[in-house]
Amino acid sequence: MTATLTPRRSTEELASSRPAWQKRITSDRAARFTFYVAAFALWLVLAGLFERIPGPPSVVDRLVEEFRRGEVFGNFADTFYRFGIGVALSIVVGILVGVLVGLSPMARAFLESPVMVALSIPAIMWAFLTVMWFGFGHTSPIVTTFLTAVPFMIVNVAQGVLGVSRDLRDMSSSYGVPLRRRVSDLVLPAVMGYVMAGIRFVVIMGWNGVLLAEWFGGSGGAGYRARYWYDANQFAGFAAWVVLFVGVIIILDQLIFERLSRRAFRWRDAAH
Amino acid sequence: MAVLTVNDLCKTFGAGTARANRVLDHITFDVRGQTFVSIVGPSGCGKSTLLNIISGVETHTSGEISVTSDAGKPARLGYVFQDPRLLPWRSVRRNMLYVQDADDEVTRRRVDTYLDMVGLGKHGDFFPGQLSGGMQQRVGIARAFAVEPDLLIMDEPFSHLDAITARGLRAQLQDIWAQSKKTVVFVTHDVVEAVELSDRIIVLQPGGRIFEDITIDLPRPRRQSDPAVATLQAEVLARLENMKAMTPQVAAAG
């Protein structure tokens, strides 16, 4: 019996055989755009059905008003200051402790349980605790951001270090490569994927933490301003701030992480 | 060049347990000066374990081992593995520099010299993933020579390559070795390769004992087409067959 093979086409042929409009509507960008349009349409429908859900026009009106009053920039400046310090600390401490936990069985035995306990404590608990400890001001949101985010960084980086190729570690040992160079040239690049995933977690969890801390114990900041509208029973104002929170996360993800990932993994792209 | 002394060396995995497995059993030999020694034997006879102990990656259970330079100082080692073991996120040149003591102008020039010697002078800025398997293995060889080792250890470096690429690399290895005057310990299961490259062949038998230590006294460079080389290869193969017949478990292992 003779088998007939379907003619195989090269990627260049495949790419040139599809019209431009077809490539555009099946692109990643189109998928993302479709999601945003669908979410917006759902919002419109829900706002039409339920009186307690404010529709886009009233939310946009409130947003414009908040911008006009200078509330958005002022409060976000506070929030980003706290968030930035908390996230930066989480990333630096998380990488250092994660590498240590990954490399040293003693450090792993010592730190495994506290990290697991920290992971299981929700951000809202840290927010309450830090407000009780540090009162109202910058410290509570910074510490909440740090405590909420840093365990995720430690766990991710430690997992990455434990997964570093045994062959490459043996190669380094046989050549007597110094520890510092092993960390910078072998361990850190090998765990870069885990670091990037960790940073994503840190940003998302940290954002949660800072907003919660401001909600419960802030005298300013985006979380504080959202609570202001909530307490005033003005759902349009509250929803306007929720839109801003979501917008910030999307911008951070698309503009910063995508670029960082591309830069960190250019060696992988070069091989294909 | 180096002096390698192995005296009554034993290695048992899981020593002291019910699953104890002795892979090297009272091994004694030494290697001095610009000598190319091959260690041959069937799979599982402890060849790679012996190399790992020499390089310090593995510890031995009992016996003595020392690797010193001619001057009596601790020897600098170069290691070529079965696979290239390159950092995929570093360029070829950065991979070579990774194992060097310094990152100065002299070292960079030396790295480039060895890259030229293996025919990859124009590929220093490439990532390993952009090279073929044979090219990557050449980087591994250049990396080992570029540290200017007293002792060069090679663990079946051509076993994953096609016959033509392996033949080309063997010829290159002979040339570089002739110029660099290193002490080399080379593990292979290919007797033909061992005869072509070596001054001495140490034959390990299953259970990790030395079966025979054969001196290869043939002029260099050697070519497989040379009748003297072919005759000696046949003779060494016959001795290995003899070893197989004397140790039933080898015959069973195939």
Side-chain angles (χ1 to χ4, degrees):
Chain A
M1 208 169 94
T2 312
T4 309
L5 284 175
T6 315
R8 307 287 169 86
R9 292 195 295 173
S10 68
T11 48
E12 277 181 9
E13 283 174 321
L14 283 169
S16 61
S17 68
R18 291 166 63 208
W21 65 268
Q22 208 177 72
K23 277 186 252 176
R24 269 201 298 275
I25 64 162
T26 54
S27 67
D28 290 355
R29 190 176 287 183
R32 276 195 286 269
F33 181 72
T34 308
F35 168 77
Y36 296 135
V37 169
F40 188 73
L42 181 68
W43 182 14
L44 279 175
V45 170
L46 291 173
L49 289 174
F50 304 103
E51 199 183 320
R52 301 288 288 171
I53 297 178
S58 58
V59 171
V60 170
D61 280 350
R62 184 58 70 191
L63 260 178
V64 170
E65 184 63 20
E66 291 287 87
F67 271 104
R68 202 181 55 74
R69 284 187 194 168
E71 293 288 353
V72 173
F73 293 113
N75 284 301
F76 265 106
D78 274 350
T79 302
F80 274 120
Y81 172 72
R82 298 157 179 168
F83 174 73
I85 294 175
V87 162
L89 280 174
S90 303
I91 291 171
V92 173
V93 173
I95 289 176
L96 290 175
V97 177
V99 168
L100 185 69
V101 168
L103 288 178
S104 156
M106 203 166 76
R108 194 153 54 249
F110 183 74
L111 289 169
E112 209 164 31
S113 300
V115 169
M116 283 303 154
V117 169
L119 268 178
S120 67
I121 296 177
I124 197 166
M125 298 300 290
W126 289 127
F128 283 137
L129 285 170
T130 56
V131 170
M132 286 194 281
W133 292 335
F134 305 110
F136 302 97
H138 286 312
T139 313
S140 310
I142 290 172
V143 176
T144 303
T145 306
F146 174 75
L147 290 173
T148 309
V150 75
F152 289 90
M153 197 71 199
I154 294 172
V155 167
N156 266 282
V157 173
Q159 283 300 321
V161 174
L162 287 168
V164 174
S165 154
R166 173 82 194 261
D167 284 350
L168 291 178
R169 280 189 284 141
D170 282 352
M171 180 272 289
S172 305
S173 298
S174 65
Y175 277 103
V177 177
L179 180 66
R180 198 172 144 197
R181 204 183 305 158
R182 274 189 226 190
V183 171
S184 67
D185 283 38
L186 170 60
V187 177
L188 287 182
V191 304
M192 195 46 81
Y194 291 87
V195 169
M196 296 307 293
I199 291 176
R200 246 185 174 130
F201 271 120
V202 162
V203 165
I204 291 165
M205 299 312 294
W207 191 238
N208 264 319
V210 76
L211 294 177
L212 277 169
E214 288 176 348
W215 178 280
F216 290 111
S219 53
Y224 166 80
R225 192 66 186 163
R227 176 158 186 182
Y228 168 84
W229 289 113
Y230 178 82
D231 286 346
N233 207 23
Q234 294 288 319
F235 292 124
F238 174 69
W241 282 91
V242 171
V243 168
L244 287 171
F245 299 159
V246 174
V248 166
I249 284 292
I250 290 171
I251 289 168
L252 284 175
D253 197 59
Q254 297 298 314
L255 289 186
I256 299 177
F257 291 128
E258 287 293 325
R259 285 170 195 214
L260 275 178
S261 292
R262 271 202 298 273
R263 189 172 163 70
F265 298 116
R266 66 187 193 283
W267 60 271
R268 213 157 53 184
D269 298 334
H272 296 289
Chain B
M1 289 184 283
V3 178
L4 165 66
T5 311
V6 179
N7 186 26
D8 208 23
L9 187 90
C10 294
K11 172 67 183 177
T12 306
F13 287 109
T17 69
R19 291 185 178 176
N21 177 25
R22 175 158 285 194
V23 290
L24 293 173
D25 193 7
H26 300 286
I27 299 282
T28 299
F29 70 94
D30 60 12
V31 184
R32 289 163 192 278
Q34 190 194 358
T35 312
F36 199 120
V37 177
S38 285
I39 298 172
V40 301
S43 300
C45 69
K47 304 186 295 284
S48 295
T49 304
L50 179 58
L51 284 198
N52 284 337
I53 292 172
I54 294 171
S55 70
V57 170
E58 198 91 60
T59 53
H60 55 289
T61 310
S62 65
E64 291 165 10
I65 181 163
S66 73
V67 192
T68 55
S69 70
D70 277 352
K73 294 176 184 168
R76 183 93 173 96
L77 300 187
Y79 204 143
V80 183
F81 302 87
Q82 285 181 30
D83 45 357
R85 299 200 186 180
L86 302 174
L87 307 172
W89 43 80
R90 291 283 182 265
S91 68
V92 164
R93 190 172 287 107
R94 292 300 320 172
N95 264 283
M96 304 265 294
L97 288 167
Y98 175 65
V99 299
Q100 300 288 329
D101 286 336
D103 186 3
D104 51 20
E105 194 52 42
V106 176
T107 312
R108 284 165 185 269
R109 268 205 301 275
R110 188 169 68 236
V111 160
D112 285 342
T113 303
Y114 279 101
L115 275 178
D116 280 335
M117 283 171 92
V118 297
L120 293 172
K122 292 189 173 126
H123 294 79
D125 294 325
F126 281 52
F127 287 110
Q130 294 173 292
L131 306 179
S132 69
M135 291 162 94
Q136 290 185 33
Q137 194 62 337
R138 272 147 65 190
V139 176
I141 292 169
R143 176 178 63 187
F145 275 100
V147 298
E148 307 226 296
D150 301 300
L151 176 65
L152 180 61
I153 299 168
M154 306 181 87
D155 186 6
E156 301 189 39
F158 311 129
S159 60
H160 291 171
L161 303 176
D162 65 87
I164 292 171
T165 307
R167 190 168 66 185
L169 283 181
R170 271 197 298 271
Q172 263 183 349
L173 174 62
Q174 289 198 66
D175 291 343
I176 300 173
W177 177 70
Q179 290 173 46
S180 62
K181 301 183 173 18
K182 305 293 177 201
T183 310
V184 179
V185 177
F186 185 95
V187 156
T188 179
H189 56 254
D190 182 347
V191 172
V192 174
E193 183 174 79
V195 172
E196 188 183 337
L197 294 172
S198 314
D199 300 310
R200 261 170 79 192
I201 298 176
I202 295 172
V203 181
L204 284 188
Q205 65 186 43
R209 280 173 174 269
I210 291 180
F211 177 76
E212 202 168 2
D213 193 337
I214 305 166
T215 302
I216 309 292
D217 192 12
L218 289 174
R220 292 175 184 274
R222 297 171 191 161
R223 296 284 172 261
Q224 284 186 26
S225 50
D226 183 341
V229 173
T231 306
L232 198 54
Q233 283 167 346
E235 191 183 315
V236 174
L237 269 173
R239 292 195 207 183
L240 282 176
E241 288 294 330
N242 185 32
M243 179 184 79
K244 251 186 172 182
M246 288 164 64
T247 47
Q249 65 270 41
V250 184

